């Protein structure tokens, strides 16, 4: 390797994985509690593993088919790189591995966190948070490991005329492992999302409403499935989602750097910059995790403060250290690029704060929704939708302003001219990397939420004293707030990454044309050699402008896809929940001992039903997400694909924010009423708010988050199949 | 006028207005019924007029401000045409006039239709439908009148170097009267939408739920406001909406024709073609209206058949006659252009059928929603949203396929090359004109719905025998089906028109550059004279491609605007309904005689409250819709504006379809249950479905339809302020 700084990347990957193991080991040393607690944790663990096994089976089938297809495209049709199929496989494998480790930790942690909370609030926090940290560090560790291994391998094997071309080829090839990660993430996020909400809605509808037993009552056969769902949806799903964003942003930025600095002596440094920032951010995340400590007897505010302190320390230090990294790399306009990193971080924080404002019941929007509960469920729904739609503004404007600033800083000019476009786009990618650089700790605060939630479930089911439940509830509430910030990062980084990936698509086109032995493109009547053509030349050559109906129709279809995908997942939840309702009713009827507490319900059967339903319901959406970019490419060519991606990105981003925030606000409006407002628990207003919350469940945990993945997956598929598009498009 | 065929346009306008008067006169000759019926109709009429007066006052203020602004832009800054302010005014004036006449007819017709239904179903149908026809013919008559007058005036006054430049100048100037029509439509549609749903929700919440009195009970103080709302929202609002689409499609196509055929001897004919097709379509609509006859004792199926027959006759004949028109004009590729007309008609019909499929309870989707009512309101809402989101596919794909076909047919090639782009875009415009050519009768079937609904309200409140109510219900149900088709035409034509207007925007840029004394643009380093530059050259010169972050951020903001606008209107309905609830509660408390039937409620006060609330709530959304394109133009220039329009169009179209269809499906799911399924009226399933219906009200009658206008208004504002954008944009 020509620049020894590279070795920081694998080194920090190993360190991250080491500390992940260390925290895991530490957590496993805690007591699992009483026999009841062990038994319940065992059921949840078995359910989660059974679910994952089933999911991996299906994912394996899909991966085999697609890998075979890619091999055929590479070796048979020669329209794409020979590395693609293998890169695709490793991306999927590592993403799956991260989900597996995260899940294993989370399911082992819940009973231990509950037992720790039995001793003290602080102890509970530490166990739950450090278990979340395992997830965070596994994701970034495996991500950096995959990137390092591929970079070393390709450096060794790829052969090209010039160093510059070689780096471009390497970085664009590495991008394709992002498709494997996206597809794995789609199954994890959508499957998990359907599973968790089917179980949740099913458990609530029959248990709470029909049988009149409280939430998390062990007599409810669906209650274990509900707890399993928290793990598969919120832990494994979220982890796979962010694994993909994390790797995607680093790889897209590397590819953009290779292109922007082509034929300069700083090309390698531009490629290494995002990797190094992410690596240093990982080390700082570990530092931040250790900084999360609370004194004995700390209150809610201190707990929140402790978490914030950890996140803030990592954030401030990455700003400082990235300045030194950029200067060590001696990149031109290092100050501008540094500006882009800061812009990315601030954008992420702003989106997180905006999410908190629109979903926390400490603020007006959610209180207004709670107020509307006084006039019944219809007005709760209407106002929740209204507030959610309004909440779209802040994150979109943050991304818009952030993008302009990152572009301007990095390109060193505000004229948006073609000559500085490469640098500007590199800046957008760097901003995304900046936002995600401390993912190790932000994901830890995020994954901690469902662990605390599950700990609460365990405490309830195993009959621990109510004091323990109150403590786990406090931990859970804290988790809801950090989850809002986490979701802000997830959606914000997905938007920036997708913008950067759109530019990478054009780089991929070049490689595709190379494969066709085409050395030049025709721009306004003139032939321009490929290696001299800039991004704007490609736009002109392929007519990717807004007067081309193919582009406009692509935008239409992209926007439509966002809605269609949500519709499919919403309906899937409805159908899967229906099956769960039937099963719970059947058990209550056939096994009368359940309600009397003399007979244990058949938990496994409920898990199995939810699992099967989730898997079945997942296939069609996945197929559509993968096939659409290919079909549009074949029908409408490059302009159609780029329009599709732009439309899906813009509409999907807005729709995702709307659904996530409406759902979160309904959830907290219910909690606000439960705290004693508008008549409190049991009042008509509360009943109305419960309906709002139930509607919000698939909004915020299934359809909304799945849009992140849809956007990125479609972009990745387009990138990987760019060669197919230019070879076989018919219009 | 060089081509005498032009005179068909003013002539058919006069004929349309004559028949509108004839049907109006005929309707006024019917008996108004009993004293009670007269009294109730009087209240509704007074309320509607009071509302309109208040609305026109506010609209007048807004128009004065904007007109002054335009005069300053023209005479002070010289960045736009001197005709703009005046054209803007006439557009607003004629649109307002159409709404006024429609409303006057509708409010006079309801009691007469009720009384006619008292005699026989057929008689009721004839009175209601012919009253709807007044609205249809007034809209197309005034539209064609405005177009004729302006065309004659500008032909007389405009002076230009060549005939070809003159026609381009005239047609692009005429486009600006579309902005006046859009703005008027925004106030009519959004204000009316807020009014009607505030009254509806308010009346239902207190009347039905709290006081336990049936719908349309005269003791409910909000009931008159509810009936007034049907008129201001569904009659005047819908009329203004379609007035704008109708004129917009004709004018955009004329402008595209002038551009595509510039410097040829067929330019005038290309400009006249859309006007002539619309004119002939108007005559055929009158023919179709006369064809709607049913025999004594006809059933529901025959009624539907009679309406369909009228619409079908007009549709088939316009296909035949437009072939002759195009041949008489001796346009090149007349066969291809004819193909585009047919494509437009078929697309409109297909969207209408798809809307019917997704919203009528004769089909699976709505039945599935009704089925989910068995498990409560939450599952009704979730499945209604899911089905609504899925329903986005069919209309979007129809528009996509329709656009490709219209473009391909008219340009005579499937290669989508720059050289044939002008003709292709003209084809898209022509398809929109084809879709709307028989608006006279399709709008009649649409406006007929609320008249029948109001007739039912009148029958109920004035205590006519239940048999009459059953008849008006049958007429109303028929209206719901035709309304679905009507909404399909409204949204489909808005999409196609907006696509055509996007191309007109570029033509407007040319005029703007002329005003700046700029004669050429720089395309890929070469200077190209304005009159030789084609659309693609403009895209290259202004960098309106998908790698330009300004374009992408524009798309983001456009998508955001669609959601934000919906959020604003949803919340507005919530707030306005809250005020209505308070007022109704106050009256019930202060005037105990109301419930006993000894005291007449203060209907006027409810109307006044709804009116004031609607007007207040309307200003912010209107301001945002008008200001956004201007601000984005100033900040992000031409690429930003075009991105904004594309994003708003794609996301707004999808969102509008989703909201309209979800709302319609909930409404009919409730009706399905009321017909005796899932336990029938009064069951828990019915209560759940009522909640779905209430949520759906602002979806389908306020937020959804207002998006059509938002899209067109933003496009129109962009077109009118194109000169400002190129003169003053900062990035």
């Amino acid at each position: 390797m020509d620049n020894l700084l590279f070795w920081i990347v694998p080194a920090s990957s190993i360190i991250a994985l080491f500390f992940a193991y260390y925290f895991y080991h530490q957590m496993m040393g805690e007591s699992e509690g009483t026999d009841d607690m062990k038994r319940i944790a065992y059921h949840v663990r078995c359910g989660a593993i059974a679910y994952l096994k089933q999911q991996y089976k299906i994912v394996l089938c899909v991966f085999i088919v697609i890998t075979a297809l890619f091999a055929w495209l590479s070796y048979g049709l020669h329209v794409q790189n020979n590395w693609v199929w293998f890169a695709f496989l490793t991306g999927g494998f590592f993403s799956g591995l991260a989900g597996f480790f995260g899940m294993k930790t989370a399911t082992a942690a819940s009973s231990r966190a509950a037992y720790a909370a039995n001793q003290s609030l602080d102890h509970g926090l530490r166990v739950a948070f450090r278990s979340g940290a395992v997830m965070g560090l596994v994701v970034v560790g495996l991500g950096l490991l995959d990137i390092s291994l591929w970079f070393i391998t390709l450096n060794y094997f790829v052969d090209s005329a010039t160093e510059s071309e070689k780096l471009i080829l390497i970085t664009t090839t590495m991008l394709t492992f992002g498709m494997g990660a996206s597809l794995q993430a789609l199954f994890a996020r959508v499957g998990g999302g359907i599973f968790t909400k089917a179980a949740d809605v099913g458990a609530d509808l029959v248990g709470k409403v029909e049988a009149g037993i409280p939430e998390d009552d062990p007599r409810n056969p669906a209650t274990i499935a509900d707890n399993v769902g928290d793990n598969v949806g919120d832990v494994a799903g979220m982890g796979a989602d962010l694994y993909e964003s994390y790797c995607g942003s680093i790889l897209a930025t590397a590819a953009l750097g290779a292109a922007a600095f082509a034929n300069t002596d700083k090309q390698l440094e531009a490629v290494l910059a995002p990797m190094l920032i992410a690596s240093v951010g990982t080390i700082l995340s570990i530092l931040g995790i250790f900084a999360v400590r609370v004194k004995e007897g700390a209150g809610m505010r201190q707990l929140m403060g402790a978490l914030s302190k950890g996140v803030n320390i990592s954030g401030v230090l990455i700003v400082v250290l990235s300045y030194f990294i950029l200067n060590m790399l001696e990149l031109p306009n290092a100050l501008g690029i540094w500006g882009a990193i800061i812009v990315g971080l601030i954008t992420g924080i702003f989106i997180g704060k905006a999410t908190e404002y629109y979903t926390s019941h400490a603020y007006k929007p959610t209180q207004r929704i709670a107020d509307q509960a006084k006039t019944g469920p219809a007005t709760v729904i209407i106002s929740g939708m209204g507030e959610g739609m309004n909440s779209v503004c802040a994150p979109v404007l943050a991304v818009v302003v952030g993008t302009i600033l990152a572009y301007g800083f990095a390109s060193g000019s505000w004229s948006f001219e073609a000559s500085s476009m490469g640098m500007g786009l590199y800046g957008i990618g760097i901003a995304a990397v900046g936002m995600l650089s401390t993912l190790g700790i932000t994901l830890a605060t995020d994954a901690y939420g469902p662990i605390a939630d599950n700990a609460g479930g365990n405490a309830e089911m195993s009959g621990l004293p109510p004091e323990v439940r109150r403590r786990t509830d406090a931990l859970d509430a804290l988790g809801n707030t950090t989850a809002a910030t986490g979701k802000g990062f997830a959606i914000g980084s997905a938007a920036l990454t997708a913008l950067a990936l759109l530019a990478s698509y054009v780089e991929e086109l070049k490689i595709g044309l190379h494969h066709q032995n085409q050395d030049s493109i025709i721009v306004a009547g003139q032939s321009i050699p490929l290696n001299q053509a800039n991004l704007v030349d490609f736009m002109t050559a392929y007519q990717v402008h807004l007067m081309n109906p193919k582009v406009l129709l692509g935008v239409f279809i992209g926007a439509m896809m966002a809605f269609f995908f949500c519709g499919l997942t919403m309906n899937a939840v409805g159908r899967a929940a229906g099956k769960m309702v039937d099963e719970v009713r059947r058990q209550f009827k056939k096994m009368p001992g359940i309600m009397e507490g003399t007979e244990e319900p058949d938990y496994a059967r409920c898990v199995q039903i939810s699992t099967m339903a989730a898997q079945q319901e997942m296939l069609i959406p996945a197929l559509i997400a993968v096939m659409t970019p290919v079909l549009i490419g074949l029908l409408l060519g490059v302009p159609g694909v780029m329009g599709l991606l732009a439309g899906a990105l813009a509409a999907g981003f807005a729709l995702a924010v709307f659904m996530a925030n409406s759902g979160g606000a309904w959830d907290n409006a219910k909690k606000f009423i439960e705290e004693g407002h508008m008549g409190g628990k049991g009042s008509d207003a509360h009943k109305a708010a419960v309906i709002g919350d139930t509607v919000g469940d698939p909004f915020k945990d299934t359809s909304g988050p799945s849009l992140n993945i849809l956007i990125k997956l479609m972009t990745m598929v387009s990138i990987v199949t760019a060669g197919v598009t230019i070879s076989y498009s018919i219009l």
Side-chain angles (χ1 to χ4, degrees), chain A:
Chain A
M1 201 62 53
D2 294 338
N3 194 317
L4 288 176
L5 284 173
F6 165 75
W7 296 102
I8 292 179
V9 186
S12 59
S13 144
I14 306 288
I15 296 175
L17 292 175
F18 168 78
F19 275 100
Y21 178 75
Y22 169 73
F23 291 136
Y24 177 73
H25 188 78
Q26 208 180 34
M27 180 270 291
M28 291 303 279
E30 299 279 339
S31 163
E32 242 197 312
T34 66
D35 281 348
D36 264 354
M37 293 172 78
K38 279 185 199 158
R39 186 176 53 82
I40 285 155
Y42 170 79
H43 279 305
V44 173
R45 195 157 53 240
C46 288
I49 299 298
Y51 171 81
L52 268 197
K53 254 195 197 156
Q54 181 61 32
Q55 175 169 302
Y56 288 154
K57 261 188 219 160
I58 291 197
V59 171
L60 190 68
C61 295
V62 173
F63 267 69
I64 288 172
V65 172
I66 294 183
T67 306
L69 205 69
F70 281 164
W72 176 62
L73 288 174
S74 296
Y75 300 108
L77 298 175
H78 300 288
V79 291
Q80 70 187 17
N81 206 301
N82 290 349
W83 294 95
V84 167
W85 66 273
F86 191 55
F88 170 74
L89 270 186
T90 61
F93 175 75
F94 278 109
S95 164
L97 207 61
F100 176 77
F101 285 140
M103 180 90 115
K104 212 170 153 54
T105 310
T107 51
S110 61
S111 59
R112 292 176 169 88
Y115 192 72
N118 193 17
Q119 300 170 275
S120 77
L121 183 61
D122 310 321
H123 197 177
L125 171 72
R126 204 166 61 239
V127 173
F129 177 69
R130 296 227 166 154
S131 306
V134 176
M135 180 75 196
L137 292 176
V138 162
V139 163
V140 298
L142 288 180
L144 292 175
L145 186 66
D146 199 2
I147 291 174
S148 313
L149 290 179
W150 269 105
F151 197 65
I152 295 168
T153 312
L154 289 172
N155 246 302
Y156 188 77
F157 283 106
V158 166
D159 215 14
S160 213
T162 65
E163 262 313 293
S164 176
E165 274 180 28
K166 182 179 165 182
L167 258 181
I168 291 180
L169 199 59
I170 288 176
T171 51
T172 43
T173 304
M174 282 173 72
L175 260 184
T176 57
F177 97 62
M179 183 182 156
S182 303
L183 192 60
Q184 178 73 260
L186 184 80
F187 281 98
R189 196 48 145 151
V190 178
I194 295 172
F195 182 104
T196 180
K197 289 308 129 186
D200 194 3
V201 174
D204 282 5
L205 281 177
V206 189
K208 275 200 227 171
V209 183
E210 292 182 14
I213 51 178
E215 196 167 340
D216 286 334
D217 191 297
R219 287 172 296 176
N220 190 334
T223 194
I224 292 286
D226 189 6
N227 280 282
V228 170
D230 290 341
N231 288 296
V232 301
D234 298 344
V235 178
M238 180 67 139
D241 182 356
L242 283 164
Y243 178 86
E244 202 284 321
S245 273
Y246 186 70
C247 296
S249 68
I250 296 171
L251 295 173
T253 312
L256 291 173
F261 288 82
N263 304 312
T264 72
D265 61 347
K266 285 295 164 196
Q267 194 193 21
L268 178 61
E269 282 70 20
V271 169
L272 290 182
M275 300 183 192
L276 289 176
I277 294 165
S279 302
V280 174
T282 300
I283 307 295
L284 296 176
S285 295
I286 298 172
L287 211 76
I289 289 166
F290 276 105
V292 176
R293 280 165 191 279
V294 281
K295 291 206 187 102
E296 208 52 54
M300 188 68 186
R301 190 178 292 270
Q302 281 85 355
L303 285 178
M304 187 69 214
L307 282 188
S308 301
K309 194 177 137 202
V311 174
N312 291 343
I313 286 180
S314 320
V316 170
L317 285 180
I318 190 69
V319 168
V320 176
L321 287 186
S322 58
Y323 179 78
F324 290 103
I325 298 170
L326 294 171
N327 274 299
M328 268 163 78
L329 291 171
E330 294 175 348
L331 278 176
N333 189 20
L335 206 64
I337 298 175
W338 188 53
I341 295 177
I342 298 175
V343 165
L345 267 167
I346 293 176
T347 306
I349 293 168
F350 179 84
I351 296 178
K353 290 280 164 209
T355 311
E356 200 188 320
Y357 174 75
Y358 278 104
T359 57
S360 156
H361 59 58
Y363 300 98
K364 286 260 179 287
T366 303
Q367 290 172 3
R368 279 196 293 262
I369 297 172
D371 191 58
Q372 291 283 347
K374 289 189 290 190
T375 37
T379 41
V380 168
I381 305 280
I382 292 176
S383 96
M385 306 261 314
E387 299 291 347
M389 284 176 162
N390 283 346
S391 77
V392 169
C393 284
V396 170
L397 292 179
V399 166
V400 166
V401 172
T403 306
I404 291 178
L405 290 180
Y407 187 102
F409 283 142
S411 69
S413 112
W414 301 95
S415 65
F416 291 84
E417 273 160 13
S419 57
S420 60
M421 193 161 274
M423 277 300 289
L425 293 168
Y426 182 63
I428 297 176
I430 280 282
V433 173
M435 194 187 283
L436 290 174
S437 56
T438 54
L439 183 68
I441 185 162
T442 44
L443 186 52
T445 60
D446 212 349
Y448 143 88
I451 292 171
D453 192 3
N454 255 287
N458 190 297
E460 180 81 31
M461 281 187 275
S462 54
L464 289 189
E467 177 56 26
V468 182
R469 179 79 213 209
R470 262 200 294 283
R471 283 189 197 142
T472 57
D473 275 354
L475 292 175
D476 187 15
L478 181 61
N480 281 341
T481 313
T482 56
T485 323
K487 271 180 191 152
F489 272 82
I491 183 76
S493 64
L496 284 182
T497 305
L499 275 172
L501 283 172
L502 205 56
S504 306
Y505 177 68
V506 180
E507 295 304 323
E508 202 69 35
L509 282 182
K510 283 194 202 177
I511 312 279
L513 289 171
H514 258 307
H515 271 269
Q516 288 197 310
N517 298 318
Q518 210 174 310
D519 294 330
S520 60
I521 51 171
I522 309 294
V523 179
Q526 294 176 313
S527 175
I528 295 187
L530 275 192
N531 54 6
Q532 284 173 30
N534 61 31
L535 291 169
V536 179
D537 292 331
F538 270 88
M539 295 298 101
T540 313
Y542 279 102
Q543 299 237 31
V544 193
H545 55 70
L546 283 187
M547 270 298 95
N548 188 344
K550 289 194 256 184
V551 174
L552 289 171
L553 297 179
V555 176
F556 262 86
I557 296 175
M560 175 199 92
M561 278 299 293
F563 284 89
F564 183 43
F565 199 76
C566 275
L568 286 177
T569 47
M570 294 276 284
N571 282 340
V573 170
R575 275 191 300 266
K579 285 180 193 160
M580 185 60 98
V581 166
D582 289 342
E583 172 61 23
V584 175
R585 280 189 190 146
R586 189 193 66 81
Q587 289 200 20
F588 276 146
K589 205 170 161 189
K590 286 268 168 74
M591 304 153 82
I594 294 178
M595 281 304 276
E596 295 153 18
T598 57
E599 198 172 357
E600 191 174 61
D602 190 350
Y603 300 128
R605 177 112 189 91
C606 286
V607 172
Q608 198 191 349
I609 281 175
S610 237
T611 302
M612 291 313 293
Q615 306 300 325
Q616 281 168 11
E617 296 290 353
M618 210 161 54
L619 272 175
I620 301 275
L623 202 68
I624 289 172
V626 173
M627 290 306 295
T628 305
V630 180
L631 283 178
I632 297 296
L634 292 177
L635 278 171
L636 300 173
V638 173
V641 172
M642 293 198 71
L644 173 79
L645 299 180
L649 175 55
F653 182 49
L655 191 55
V657 172
F658 151 53
M659 296 189 89
N661 286 355
S662 282
W666 276 318
D667 189 350
N668 284 323
K670 184 193 72 176
K671 291 207 172 112
F672 186 65
I673 293 176
E674 283 171 357
E675 283 177 7
H677 303 88
M678 325 286 159
K681 220 163 177 169
S683 65
D684 278 346
H686 183 242
K687 275 180 204 141
V690 167
I691 291 170
D693 182 35
T694 311
V695 172
D697 270 343
F699 267 56
K700 70 179 197 304
D701 294 322
T702 312
S703 301
S706 70
L707 284 169
N708 289 356
I709 318 242
L710 174 78
I711 293 168
K712 289 181 292 177
L713 179 60
M714 293 215 302
T715 314
M716 279 294 174
V717 173
S718 306
I719 287 178
V720 173
T721 60
V724 179
T725 299
I726 45 180
S727 302
Y728 299 107
S729 82
I730 60 169
L731 270 188

